[in-house]
């Protein structure tokens, strides 16, 4: 039975046997999701450098097809490209595992940023930590799970899921392109967060590795805790996964049609406009005094002079300046 007859789940044919195993690719994306900074363009560049140029695992043609599909379909570009590259030789299983490996590390980092988990355990330990012996063991078993389910705000979680599914299904471009859409829903429409909290959530995503769009996990956490973070992340990334694996078998055949190429050009232009809108939204609420004005102008000057300056270097430097300039108002 060939690959098409088996619904795309079969391993590669002998004549197409890749020079790498699926687990090697999964480990690569796990590492990239853990250490890859710089936003979608930088992450896509890392994939080309590592998988096409250095290792030769992915052909340049497959990479370009993945980029074109990522621009054509709604959702975060870097995550879609990773999913497509996993699909290139290992089909649906490869797409699923590489997508999870790429997104999961940044999701966990966002949840645990500023050793927040440790602070939570220290200042407000859960009940099961305050118990001992058999009682502690029983507290984390099935009864605790059923009790948790009964205390969840299912109405709020459903609202979160629907909103972020819409964000993942209808917003084109990079992770930054989704910021104006998120602002309109999270701050203006539902009023789940105020402006300061929203800007902080975006900043958290910018200083963590992996796809920038993982900011949805932090927003979900601020709105409804860990369940909210999980629902928001899953609802955002599931559409982009489906929009990648479902058309992938047909994209090789029809992806170079003039109409498709024209559509991609239009979407790319619109995504650039959305990213510009994201910059304006964040700038209006972050550049508020002389130090922030100087920091923003200095950052632009550095990026114009040193095109390949890593973003984490800039962010770390700005954070240190902020610590020196602004007094600690809250303890």
């Amino acid at each position: 039975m060939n690959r098409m007859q088996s619904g795309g789940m079969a391993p590669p044919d002998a004549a197409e046997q890749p020079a790498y195993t699926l687990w090697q690719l999964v480990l690569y994306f796990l590492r990239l999701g853990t250490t890859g900074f710089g936003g979608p363009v930088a992450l896509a560049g890392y994939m080309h450098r590592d998988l096409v140029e250095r290792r030769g695992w992915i052909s340049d043609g497959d990479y370009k097809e993945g980029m074109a599909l990522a621009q054509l379909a709604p959702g975060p570009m870097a995550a879609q490209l990773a999913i497509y590259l996993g699909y290139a030789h290992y089909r649906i299983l490869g797409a699923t595992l590489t997508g999870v490996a790429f997104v999961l590390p940044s999701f966990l980092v966002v949840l645990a940023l500023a050793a927040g988990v440790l602070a939570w355990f220290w200042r407000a330990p859960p009940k099961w930590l305050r118990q001992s012996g058999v009682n502690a063991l029983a507290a984390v078993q099935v009864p605790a799970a059923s009790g948790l389910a009964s205390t969840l705000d299912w109405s709020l979680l459903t609202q979160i899921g629907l909103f972020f599914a819409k964000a993942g299904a209808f917003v084109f471009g990079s992770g930054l392109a989704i910021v104006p859409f998120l602002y309109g829903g999270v701050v203006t429409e539902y009023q789940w967060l105020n402006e300061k909290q929203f800007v902080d959530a975006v900043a958290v995503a910018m200083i963590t590795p992996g796809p920038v769009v993982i900011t949805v996990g932090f927003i979900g956490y601020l709105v409804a805790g860990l369940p909210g973070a999980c629902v928001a992340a899953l609802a955002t990334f599931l559409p982009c996964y489906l929009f990648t694996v479902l058309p992938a078998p047909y994209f090789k055949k029809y992806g170079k049609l003039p109409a498709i190429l024209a559509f991609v050009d239009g979407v790319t232009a619109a995504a650039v406009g959305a990213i510009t809108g994201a910059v304006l939204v964040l700038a209006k609420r972050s550049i508020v005094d002389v130090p922030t004005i100087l920091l923003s102008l200095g950052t632009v000057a550095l990026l114009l002079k040193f095109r390949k300056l890593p973003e984490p270097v800039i962010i770390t430097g700005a954070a240190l300046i902020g610590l020196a300039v602004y007094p600690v108002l809250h303890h």
Side-chain angles (χ1 to χ4, degrees), residues 48-317:
H48 188 273
R49 179 197 65 190
D50 298 335
L51 301 179
V52 178
E53 297 175 1
R54 293 183 178 177
R55 307 184 188 188
W57 289 357
I58 303 294
S59 69
D60 195 55
D62 282 338
Y63 177 86
K64 289 180 179 178
E65 288 175 359
M67 281 293 293
L69 181 57
Q71 291 177 298
L72 175 65
M77 182 185 75
Q80 287 172 304
L81 179 58
I83 292 169
Y84 187 86
L85 296 182
Y87 182 91
H89 286 122
Y90 289 99
R91 299 305 185 252
I92 293 179
L93 179 61
T96 304
L97 293 180
T98 55
V100 171
F102 183 55
V103 172
L104 185 61
S106 57
F107 176 74
L108 296 177
V109 169
V110 164
L111 290 185
L113 189 67
V117 172
L118 293 179
W120 169 56
F121 273 88
W122 177 258
R123 297 179 181 178
K127 293 180 179 179
W128 59 269
L129 275 185
R130 294 197 295 265
Q131 297 173 354
S132 60
V134 177
N135 291 334
L137 180 61
V140 297
Q141 292 179 344
V142 176
S146 61
L148 175 63
S150 65
T151 60
L152 293 177
D153 188 342
W154 292 107
S155 175
L156 177 60
L157 291 178
T158 301
Q159 205 172 33
I160 291 172
L162 292 175
F163 171 74
F164 284 103
K166 185 167 58 176
F170 296 105
V171 178
F172 290 83
S174 75
L176 289 176
I178 205 174
V179 170
F181 181 88
L182 294 180
Y183 177 84
V186 172
V187 178
T188 305
E189 181 179 357
Y190 294 106
Q191 298 182 348
W192 287 331
L193 303 180
N194 59 39
E195 293 183 353
K196 177 65 167 57
Q197 290 172 319
F198 180 81
V199 172
D200 289 344
V202 175
V204 165
M206 291 296 296
I207 63 175
T208 54
V212 174
V213 75
I214 202 62
T215 187
V216 299
F218 192 69
I219 292 174
Y221 184 85
L222 292 177
V223 176
L226 182 58
C230 296
V231 169
L234 182 61
T236 303
F237 283 98
L238 183 58
C240 87
Y241 169 82
L242 295 177
F243 284 134
T244 303
V245 298
L246 293 181
Y250 311 99
F251 195 73
K252 287 180 178 290
K253 184 176 181 179
Y254 302 107
K256 295 180 176 61
L257 291 177
I260 298 295
L261 295 176
F263 184 85
V264 171
D265 289 340
V267 166
T268 302
V272 172
I275 294 172
T276 304
V279 172
L280 295 177
V281 167
L282 298 177
K284 286 169 59 178
R285 291 154 182 83
S286 302
I287 304 175
V288 294
D289 53 21
V290 174
T292 53
I293 292 174
L294 294 177
L295 276 174
S296 62
L297 293 177
T299 299
V300 172
L302 285 174
L303 290 174
L304 290 176
K305 184 173 179 60
F306 304 102
R307 301 275 179 152
K308 296 185 177 180
L309 187 64
E311 284 84 351
V313 174
I314 298 175
I315 293 172
T316 301

Side-chain angles (χ1 to χ4, degrees), residues 3 9-25 55-59 62 87-91:
R3 182 181 300 113
M9 295 290 289
D13 295 333
E16 303 175 358
Q17 189 66 36
Y20 63 95
T21 67
L22 174 58
W23 296 113
Q24 285 178 309
L25 189 66
R55 307 184 188 188
W57 289 357
I58 303 294
S59 69
D62 282 338
Y87 182 91
H89 286 122
Y90 289 99
R91 299 305 185 252

